[in-house]
Amino acid sequence: MTTEEAFRWIEQVEAQVFHNEEETPENKWVAVVRAPGSTPDPGDHVILVFGETFIEVTRAAEAQWQNHWSTLSRWH
């Protein structure tokens, strides 16, 4: 995944990615994204990923998002 692809995916799924220099290296970046099929409701499934780099957390969040989507697809 390139940086451009990561930004495109984040925009597409309306994810949020945060950077905090104060954190330990493995927690400097955080990706937060609503899982596919979720509706705005307190019981939503949220994907939360911590990592060392922007690409790392975006790639991991996308993998979890795709995994959740494939689970939903099997049930529908």
Side-chain angles (χ1 to χ4, degrees):
M1 173 181 279
T2 66
T3 302
E4 185 177 319
E5 290 168 333
F7 277 114
R8 212 175 9 244
W9 183 80
I10 287 166
E11 185 176 276
Q12 179 184 0
V13 299
E14 298 179 0
Q16 299 290 317
V17 179
F18 304 95
H19 182 250
N20 185 349
E21 283 292 331
E22 303 295 317
E23 286 293 332
T24 59
E26 61 275 4
N27 291 325
K28 281 190 177 185
W29 288 90
V30 180
V32 181
V33 61
R34 184 172 301 173
S38 297
T39 58
D41 141 322
D44 282 353
H45 181 89
V46 175
I47 296 166
L48 183 63
V49 179
F50 297 89
E52 293 183 24
T53 69
F54 170 75
I55 296 296
E56 177 186 2
V57 297
T58 304
R59 185 180 292 137
E62 187 208 14
Q64 289 183 36
W65 192 95
Q66 293 293 345
N67 185 49
H68 187 78
W69 179 251
S70 68
T71 301
L72 290 176
S73 297
R74 279 184 252 144
W75 295 105
H76 293 279

